[in-house]
Amino acid sequence: QVQLQESGPGLVKPSQTLSLTCTVSGGSITTNYYYWSWIRQPPGKGLEWIGYIAYSGSTYYSPSLKSRTSISRDTSKNQFTLQLSSVTPEDTAVYYCARASSPRVGVGYDYWGQGTQVTVSS
């Protein structure tokens, strides 16, 4: 059974960088062919895909967030990390990490973290 757990600060000030880590257990983040994703849900809105880091280490980001997003991994800890720079209150959301079996956006998610609330406020 694969389990994902998000961790990181729940409050970030505007213009700062949001940093969240997803710790994976029960499966390796280097196993073919999985895509380790970050997804968020702003209050009152639908899910928004942010990006993923693939089993190979390659990354792919949402075009609308690409200029502010970086996803990296630590294979020794079986973790992957989201960094979102220059945050504004519009980045307030519940952030989820998830595993997908397809590189296609919005397809094939089989395991999710419980989600973590991040609020951007001074």
Side-chain angles (χ1 to χ4, degrees), residues 68-95:
R68 300 194 289 129
T69 305
S70 177
I71 299 176
S72 59
R73 67 181 184 176
D74 185 336
T75 57
S76 68
K77 297 180 179 178
N78 216 35
Q79 296 175 333
F80 61 105
T81 297
L82 167 69
Q83 291 193 307
L84 184 66
S85 64
S86 304
V87 297
T88 72
E90 285 66 43
D91 293 308
T92 294
V94 177
Y95 285 74

Side-chain angles (χ1 to χ4, degrees), residues 27-34 36 54-57 73-76 78:
S28 172
I29 62 173
T30 61
T31 299
N32 299 348
Y33 295 94
Y34 290 112
W36 302 90
Y55 59 96
S56 61
R73 67 181 184 176
D74 185 336
T75 57
S76 68
N78 216 35

